[in-house]
Amino acid sequence: MSDELTSELRDLAAEGETLPALSGAEIRGRALRRRRRRRTALAVAGGFAAAGLALALVLNLGGGTDQRPAPAASPTGTPSLPAVPDATVDLSRRVISVAGRELPLSSGSEWTPTGTGRMTVTAKESVKVMPGSVAGIKGDYHLKVPWVIEFSASDGTANYIAGLTYDEKAPGDYDRTTGWIGLRQADAKWLYGQLSPGSVIDVEGTAPTDTPSARSTSTPPTALPGAGAGSGTSGG
């Protein structure tokens, strides 16, 4: 008796079944069919296992189309960009550009040049009292300067924009202040309404060399207290 026939008989006995009244040939046929079914099942299972292994190898070796998610971007962040200035002072051209307009200005004299850099408006005063010497003229008296806008650099150095009422011919033509920026009174009033604390001002360039006729004094005037005139400090 073959091993398969013996196995079949043992399986039937284990299941508690009564042995069928079959001939040896029929029993061998049944065993042959069961063996074929087992081989088919094993072949199918082996095929699935081989396919899975092949897929794993392709993915690990980089073959085919890579569907794996891209690695997360490095959390370095994007550095903040500088704010777009609300006003730009061009000392070389003697103009301040604001909201599409260009206003003529007069800046610091050759003794007290206006500092450059990025500044921020910190305060405004409709009228500020200044000594005449501070304003850039001779005389032991005080002046009421209108439409004063104070702005500061990152190191705290302050400067001013205001109406140059005592010499409205200077803005756009020559420089005669002690470092602060002087405008015609009407322009200073308009600018006063455009800028507020927190507004950003860029001061750029270098003032042209004054002609002798443009100089208001023969000696260096006193600088405006707290102003950035002559410091050349950049506002960063």
Side-chain angles (χ1 to χ4, degrees):
M1 184 178 296
S2 67
D3 293 338
E4 289 190 3
L5 179 58
T6 302
S7 177
E8 290 289 336
L9 292 176
R10 289 177 178 174
D11 290 343
L12 291 175
E15 294 172 358
E17 297 179 357
T18 303
L19 294 176
L22 300 174
S23 64
E26 291 176 339
I27 292 175
R28 290 189 183 91
R30 178 182 293 181
L32 180 60
R33 289 192 296 274
R34 183 169 294 180
R35 183 173 60 185
R36 287 175 178 172
R37 287 196 298 271
R38 288 179 178 175
R39 287 179 178 175
T40 300
L42 290 174
V44 171
F48 280 120
L53 179 60
L55 178 61
L57 289 174
V58 168
L59 293 178
N60 289 334
L61 294 176
T65 302
D66 190 356
Q67 299 295 333
R68 289 174 293 179
S74 176
T76 55
T78 302
S80 300
L81 298 176
V84 176
D86 300 286
T88 301
V89 174
D90 188 340
L91 300 177
S92 302
R93 296 174 55 226
R94 291 193 178 105
V95 295
I96 177 170
S97 302
V98 182
R101 291 185 60 182
E102 287 191 344
L103 312 177
L105 63 84
S106 180
S107 63
S109 68
E110 60 182 296
W111 301 288
T112 53
T114 301
T116 59
R118 174 150 290 190
M119 319 285 184
T120 303
V121 174
T122 54
K124 300 197 304 181
E125 293 182 64
S126 59
V127 177
K128 185 178 182 68
V129 177
M130 297 182 184
S133 59
V134 170
I137 62 174
K138 293 180 179 179
D140 188 17
Y141 53 89
H142 291 71
L143 293 177
K144 289 183 178 180
V145 180
W147 315 118
V148 179
I149 300 172
E150 179 180 347
F151 55 94
S152 301
S154 59
D155 63 356
T157 304
N159 209 338
Y160 302 87
I161 300 175
L164 193 60
T165 56
Y166 55 88
D167 189 357
E168 290 209 341
K169 294 181 180 179
D173 292 327
Y174 52 89
D175 301 308
R176 62 162 305 172
T177 77
T178 57
W180 55 282
I181 296 169
L183 305 178
R184 296 168 185 165
Q185 186 170 352
D187 290 340
K189 181 178 180 179
W190 178 83
L191 183 64
Y192 189 88
Q194 296 294 313
L195 301 181
S196 302
S199 297
V200 176
I201 300 175
D202 275 355
V203 182
E204 305 170 347
T206 303
T209 302
D210 288 338
T211 60
S213 61
R215 299 175 184 174
S216 60
T217 60
S218 59
T219 58
T222 304
L224 183 67
S231 65
T233 302
S234 173

